[in-house]
Amino acid sequence: MIMIIDIHNHSDWHRHNLNSVDTDEYGIDKAWQTNPVIKRYPGNPILSADDVPYRSDLVFNAGVTRYQGRYVMVFRNDYADSASKAVQGCNLGLAFSDDGIDWKVEKQPLFLDSGSYPLGMAYDPRLTVLDGRCYMCFATGMNHGVSGGIAATDDFKNWEILNISAPDNRNWVLFPERVNGKMIRLERPFAMYQRPGDRFDIWISASPDGRYWGDTELLLKTESVPWVNEKIGPATPPIRTPKGWLALFHGVDVDASRQGWGWSGNWRKRYSAGLMLLDQDNPYKVIGLSRGPVLVPEEDYRYEAEGYRDYVIFPGGMILEKDNSVKIYYGAADIVEALATADLNDLLTLCEPV
Ligand code: BMA
C-alpha cells in the first residue's frame, strides 16, 4: 500500500482559493455539501488495497449488485511504482459479501493485467443483473481511444464479451429490466470537436440482445445541470421505483485557480453526484433532477479529500433493500471504495420535476 503523502500546502491553498462566495480555510465552497438524507457508512472505507491479496495500490470505482444470493462487487484495482508512485497497470478485482458491507476479495483478479488483456485494460465496472445473468459494463483503454464494453457471466469465471464500442465512449450502465422488450443503457460519448472544454453529455441506447445497439438519443445535457461546468456521466445503474427509474450521475466542476489536488499531480476537477429520474415506460425522458449535487466529496472526510485524485466521489452501484433503504457504493479520491445509505423516498423527494 502506498502511503498517502500530504502534498498540500494549505496556506498556499488559501491564497489560491476558489472563486466561490463563501469558502472555508482550504478554499472549498462551504455550500458544497452532501444532502443530509445521505449518510456515510461510519466504517468507511469498505474496501481498500489492504484487503486485496495481490498487487494493489488504488481500489475504487466498483460496480456492485446482488446475484445468486450474495452481494458481488467488481472493483478497479490500480497498482503503482513504489518509488515514483506512477500508476503502472490496472485490473478488475472480484469480491463477495453476505451483507453488502463486509467484503472478501477473491484470490485472483478477474481479467488479466493491462499488458496482456487484449483490449488494453478494463476499468470502472458497473454490474447489472438482467434476465438471470450478471452483466458488466466497463471502460477499456486502448492506444486508439477509450471504448465502452459489455460482458456477461453466470459464474464470474467465464465472460462473454458482447459489445465493444468505437472510441470514444465510457461510463456505460445497463438497466436491470428490459423496457418495451429492449435492453437499455446509458452512456457518455466524448464529443471532442463540437464540445470543447469536456462538455460531455449523457446519451441513451437500446438493444435487442446486448450486442447490437441503436435508437441512440441525447438524454441529459450538461447545460441542464447548472452545478457542473464540465462533463456529466452515468454513475449507477438505475433502480426501478414507483415513480420511475432512479439513478445517480456524476458531474464535474473545474476551477482553473485551484491548486493541483492529490498525488496524481495537476488535478483541478471535482467529481460530485446528482440524482435523475427517468420515466418508467419511456426512459428516454428525464422527469426529475436534483436541484444540486446530492453526494459531494467532503473536506473533512479524509478518504475523499486526500487520495490519488482529491475531491472525487465516483458512484458505481446502488442497491435497493427490502426496507426501502438504498446502499450507494462509490469510489473516493480514486483510492478506496466507500458506502453511503439513504431512504428511497428521501431520494425521490430530491428529484424535482423537469
Ligand atoms: C474519470 C475516470 C474515473 C476517475 C475519474 C476521477 O475520467 O478516469 O475512473 O475516477 O476520472 O479521477
Side-chain angles (χ1 to χ4, degrees):
M1 171 75 187
I2 285 183
M3 294 301 292
I4 300 170
I5 48 166
D6 183 11
I7 61 161
H8 306 136
N9 178 332
H10 287 154
S11 57
D12 271 353
W13 260 19
H14 191 49
R15 282 196 294 278
H16 291 84
N17 67 359
L18 305 184
N19 297 323
S20 47
V21 186
D22 191 12
T23 56
D24 67 15
E25 61 175 311
Y26 303 122
I28 305 297
D29 185 343
K30 278 188 186 161
W32 206 260
Q33 281 166 358
T34 294
N35 193 287
V37 306
I38 297 181
K39 311 275 182 224
R40 286 170 167 78
Y41 172 62
N44 276 339
I46 55 161
L47 206 74
S48 69
D50 296 339
D51 304 310
V52 179
Y54 41 88
R55 196 174 167 202
S56 176
D57 291 298
L58 314 173
V59 165
F60 61 116
N61 296 4
V64 185
T65 191
R66 255 187 320 237
Y67 189 58
Q68 297 173 341
R70 289 186 291 183
Y71 293 79
V72 53
M73 175 192 286
V74 176
F75 57 90
R76 173 171 173 177
N77 177 58
D78 287 14
Y79 44 86
D81 177 73
S82 52
S84 68
K85 295 187 167 53
V87 171
Q88 290 186 317
C90 149
N91 49 38
L92 293 175
L94 175 66
F96 292 102
S97 168
D98 293 327
D99 59 6
I101 296 170
D102 291 318
W103 293 88
K104 179 130 181 37
V105 178
E106 296 290 287
K107 289 199 177 69
Q108 296 293 331
L110 269 188
F111 285 162
L112 300 176
D113 279 6
S114 36
S116 41
Y117 183 61
L119 300 170
M121 63 184 208
Y123 58 99
D124 292 356
R126 268 72 156 209
L127 300 180
T128 296
V129 175
L130 172 75
D131 299 340
R133 297 196 89 186
C134 187
Y135 289 85
M136 178 170 68
C137 296
F138 52 94
T140 173
M142 293 184 281
N143 293 337
H144 298 278
V146 175
S147 296
I150 299 183
T153 189
D154 305 304
D155 57 11
F156 298 98
K157 293 187 181 76
N158 302 295
W159 291 86
E160 182 190 358
I161 294 181
L162 297 173
N163 182 236
I164 302 286
S165 76
D168 279 330
N169 203 329
R170 66 150 65 134
N171 291 308
W172 289 8
V173 304
L174 214 53
F175 280 53
E177 290 173 37
R178 288 174 182 262
V179 183
N180 302 321
K182 296 270 178 64
M183 293 168 76
I184 306 286
R185 88 175 175 216
L186 305 181
E187 56 195 303
R188 214 287 309 287
F190 320 178
M192 299 295 279
Y193 285 114
Q194 299 302 328
R195 306 281 287 158
D198 286 10
R199 300 282 288 166
F200 307 144
D201 312 298
I202 298 178
W203 292 65
I204 184 167
S205 297
S207 169
D209 54 9
R211 269 180 206 285
Y212 300 101
W213 290 87
D215 297 336
T216 302
E217 285 184 20
L218 178 57
L219 179 75
L220 183 64
K221 304 174 189 145
T222 53
E223 290 83 350
S224 309
V225 184
W227 50 272
V228 308
N229 63 8
E230 216 201 45
K231 58 195 168 187
I232 55 173
T236 62
I239 54 176
R240 175 196 265 284
T241 80
K243 299 253 169 75
W245 296 102
L246 180 72
L248 284 163
F249 62 95
H250 63 250
V252 179
D253 73 293
V254 187
D255 183 334
S257 72
R258 285 172 192 154
Q259 271 204 326
W261 286 342
W263 48 265
S264 77
N266 197 21
W267 180 249
R268 290 179 167 77
K269 302 181 189 197
R270 175 167 55 181
Y271 274 66
S272 305
L275 280 167
M276 64 180 166
L277 192 63
L278 309 178
D279 186 271
Q280 189 128 310
D281 303 318
N282 176 15
Y284 282 62
K285 197 169 156 217
V286 180
I287 57 171
L289 275 181
S290 58
R291 183 184 289 264
V294 297
L295 179 59
V296 312
E298 304 281 355
E299 169 57 27
D300 58 0
Y301 202 72
R302 176 176 165 240
Y303 290 105
E304 294 166 15
E306 249 184 65
Y308 181 67
R309 285 171 168 171
D310 295 355
Y311 298 100
V312 173
I313 59 108
F314 199 88
M318 182 152 81
I319 294 189
L320 178 59
E321 302 290 1
K322 285 204 179 76
D323 64 358
N324 243 17
S325 67
V326 172
K327 288 190 171 72
I328 297 167
Y329 295 90
Y330 63 99
D334 286 7
I335 192 169
V336 293
E337 186 67 19
L339 171 68
T341 55
D343 180 79
L344 177 66
N345 290 327
D346 288 340
L347 295 182
L348 288 172
T349 306
L350 294 177
C351 295
E352 298 184 3
V354 291

